[in-house]
Amino acid sequence: MTNHDASAAVERLYNTYPFPPEPLLDEPPPGYNWRWNWLAAYSFCTGQKPIQQDIRILDAGCGTGVGTEYLVHLNPEASVVGIDLSAGALDVAKERCRRSGADRVQFHHLSLYDVEQLEGEFDLINCVGVLHHLPDPIRGIQALAGKLAPGGLMHIFVYAELGRWEIQLMQKAIALLQGDKRGDYQDGVKVGRMLFESLPENNRIVKREKERWSWENQRDANFADMYVHPQEIDYNIETLFELIDASGLEFIGFSNPSYWQLERLVGKNEELLERAKGLNSREIYRLIELLDPEVSHYEFFLGRTPLVKADWSTDEELLGAIPERNPCMDGWPSKSLFNCDYQIISLSEDELEFLQACDANSEQQRTVGQILMDGKLGLEGVRSLLKQQLILLTPG
Ligand SMILES: C[S@@+](CC[C@H](N)C(=O)[O-])C[C@H]1O[C@@H](n2cnc3c(N)ncnc32)[C@H](O)[C@@H]1O
């Protein structure tokens, strides 16, 4: 297939099955994804709260606008642009945003490849589940990088091959059985569903589908997106970093950092940890995915220089910083709440007291040092709150 034909096939898939097929609501969507909240994302990437909030955001390959709608509602001063190859998906995205009152958004029927046609640059570019469906992802990421403002951030999600092995097998099996009906996506879904019904229960592909994907795949749009896709490139750490390096941007870090901890896997063995110290960060990532091949996607932030980072390593800097509570938490105010990743956490009395003082701080502008004088939390406690993404800091 030529690149042009591949893009046309992708467009037809998403016109047939706009994705994601989430229902439309008459109110803002519930909860948050901190990666779409500029304050939380910027703080994660740089250690400090951004100065500006009236930013421009691009949702590149926005599909039916589920992420776009969150980007509008979670960033009340931002203006958002969504682009997509599929006119059918864009129609749903427009209606979704109209119904929930997300009005600071514009949509354009445009390929990532042609993104330079948009006016100006963007402070945050979100590109989730898209680059791996381009016949030339490097050209796509380079086009996006050209629209990222200096000091801006890009959030990307692409597929990982190790945890999608069974999916790849099923995709190939469906294609073989479809023969010259390939490209008829409804027929592909029918063949795939028949296969899952026919295969023995203890079959490896069936087991994986049941344990990991079947809940979301009840909807045909999800099933088609997974098993009947005409264009998909799955990455491993080595090929992922080829893509990242080609972007010319800085790799800031994975946005699901808990997966990328070697201690989680071999932490009980000092000698293995010691040996791993000789590896560079990419080799460590590779080691982690080899040892835990469940990984089915990579999600990460890239940045364009100059990105000023604060590590708060000196006590003086930290004492002079102005703290606020991270808006991405659920169940506040309480000692038991959901953190930005919706994990339940328990706060100590001292942590709760510090966060309550932070809450009043958008007006009072007290420093960490001033707040600590009134409570029992120490500087290490403040560092721990920052690491857990519970507070945002502005340099004093
Ligand atoms: C799996 S969906 C992801 C939608 C959305 N980003 C999300 O995560 O909910 C992939 C989307 O990328 C779009 N897409 C694929 N290739 C594209 C391209 N070259 N330019 C713009 N959009 C593209 C598809 O039309 C589809 O809507």
Side-chain angles (χ1 to χ4, degrees), residues 345-364:
I345 55 160
S346 296
L347 300 173
S348 68
E349 195 62 52
D350 300 342
E351 288 174 326
L352 178 69
E353 207 183 1
F354 185 88
L355 284 179
Q356 275 168 331
C358 286
D359 239 5
N361 216 21
S362 50
E363 277 160 32
Q364 295 178 352

Side-chain angles (χ1 to χ4, degrees), residues 260-279:
W260 297 103
Q261 308 301 321
L262 188 60
E263 292 73 18
R264 175 177 77 78
L265 299 167
V266 299
K268 283 193 222 140
N269 190 307
E270 285 297 327
E271 184 180 341
L272 289 174
L273 288 177
E274 198 50 41
R275 283 176 185 244
K277 281 194 184 142
L279 304 177

Side-chain angles (χ1 to χ4, degrees), residues 172-187:
K172 287 176 190 156
I174 293 172
L176 271 176
L177 285 170
Q178 274 200 283
D180 58 12
K181 285 195 114 180
R182 260 178 245 177
D184 177 339
Y185 303 114
Q186 277 150 336
D187 180 70

Side-chain angles (χ1 to χ4, degrees), residues 10 14 19-20 61-63 84-86 89 110-112 128-130 134 225:
V10 172
Y14 289 111
F19 188 93
C62 60
D84 203 281
L85 198 59
S86 156
L110 194 70
S111 168
L112 255 62
V128 168
V130 184
L134 266 56
D225 185 61

